Amino acid sequence: TYDNTGKVIPLSHRFNFEVNDIRYRKSDAQNVAVNYLAGDARLKVIENAVNNEAKKLGVKVAYKTREEMPAGHKNDKGYYNTTTGEIVICTENASSIADAVQTILHETVAHKGLRQLMGDKFNEFINRVYNSLDADTKAAVDKLAADDYDGNTLVAMEEYMASLAENENFKEQTI
C-alpha cells in the first residue's frame, strides 16, 4: 500500500492488530481518494472490481459498511476471520479500486490462502520463513512485532507476508 507520494507505507502504520482471530488491513488516512464518482455509484464500481478479483481467486467476499465493522476497526479496509474463513471488505474505506483489490489480495492470498495451503503446519511454515529472512528484514519484523503485536512474531510475519501479496513490487517492499 502506498501513500499519496508513491512511497510504500510501512506495515507498522498499516495494521492495528487487537483480535487474534481476525486479520485487518488498516485504512490509510494519508491516501487521497480519487472520487470520480460519489456515494453508492462509487461503492458499486469498487464492489464490482472486488467481485471480479474474487472470482479469479475463487473466493466469496462479504461486504460490510463502516458501521457494521467491528468496534475499534470502523476505518479498516477489510479482514479475514481465521475462525469462520470469512473475507470481509469495507468498500467505504477503500481509497480507490486498486486499493480495494489490494485488500482482497492481502486477505485472500496470505491470510486465507497460506492457512489453506499449510493447514496445521501454518505456524511452522511462518517460523521457517522468518528464520530464513536476512538480518535487516528480521529486525524489522521483530520491531513490528514489538510495536504492534505484543511481541507476537508469528502475527508480524503473517502481516509482512500479506503485505507482499498486495502487489508485485516485492523488491520495493519495506516494513
Side-chain angles (χ1 to χ4, degrees), residues 2-67:
Y2 299 89
D3 66 16
N4 60 348
T5 66
K7 294 182 182 176
V8 175
I9 301 166
L11 278 175
S12 59
H13 295 104
R14 283 191 249 174
F15 304 102
N16 182 6
F17 186 80
E18 294 176 0
V19 179
N20 279 339
D21 64 346
I22 298 177
R23 302 295 186 257
Y24 290 92
R25 182 163 186 260
K26 291 297 285 178
S27 173
D28 176 19
Q30 296 176 7
N31 195 352
V32 178
V34 179
N35 290 320
Y36 57 91
L37 295 172
D40 290 341
R42 177 184 175 277
L43 298 179
K44 190 66 178 168
V45 168
I46 292 172
E47 189 174 315
N48 285 339
V50 170
N51 286 338
N52 289 337
E53 193 67 28
K55 186 176 180 180
K56 288 186 223 172
L57 294 168
V59 297
K60 183 178 177 184
V61 174
Y63 295 93
K64 290 193 177 184
T65 65
R66 191 173 289 129
E67 284 306 308

Side-chain angles (χ1 to χ4, degrees), residues 50-160:
V50 170
N51 286 338
N52 289 337
E53 193 67 28
K55 186 176 180 180
K56 288 186 223 172
L57 294 168
V59 297
K60 183 178 177 184
V61 174
Y63 295 93
K64 290 193 177 184
T65 65
R66 191 173 289 129
E67 284 306 308
E68 295 170 326
M69 293 291 280
H73 297 280
K74 300 292 186 193
N75 293 320
D76 290 350
K77 298 176 183 192
Y79 64 83
Y80 171 65
N81 185 319
T82 62
T83 302
T84 66
E86 180 180 48
I87 296 171
V88 173
I89 303 294
C90 181
T91 53
E92 289 176 82
N93 292 337
S95 61
S96 65
I97 291 171
D99 185 44
V101 168
Q102 284 179 323
T103 300
I104 190 173
L105 290 171
H106 175 105
E107 304 304 342
T108 303
V109 174
H111 294 311
K112 181 179 178 87
L114 287 177
R115 276 186 173 72
Q116 285 182 330
L117 181 66
M118 301 311 297
D120 62 356
K121 303 278 186 196
F122 178 76
N123 288 351
E124 179 184 336
F125 170 73
I126 296 292
N127 279 323
R128 291 179 94 186
V129 173
Y130 172 79
N131 289 328
S132 72
L133 295 175
D134 63 73
D136 290 341
T137 306
K138 191 180 281 189
V141 170
D142 290 341
K143 182 174 177 2
L144 178 65
D147 291 349
D148 293 352
Y149 303 111
D150 294 325
N152 190 331
T153 305
L154 219 58
V155 173
M157 263 308 297
E158 183 180 353
E159 292 301 341
Y160 171 68

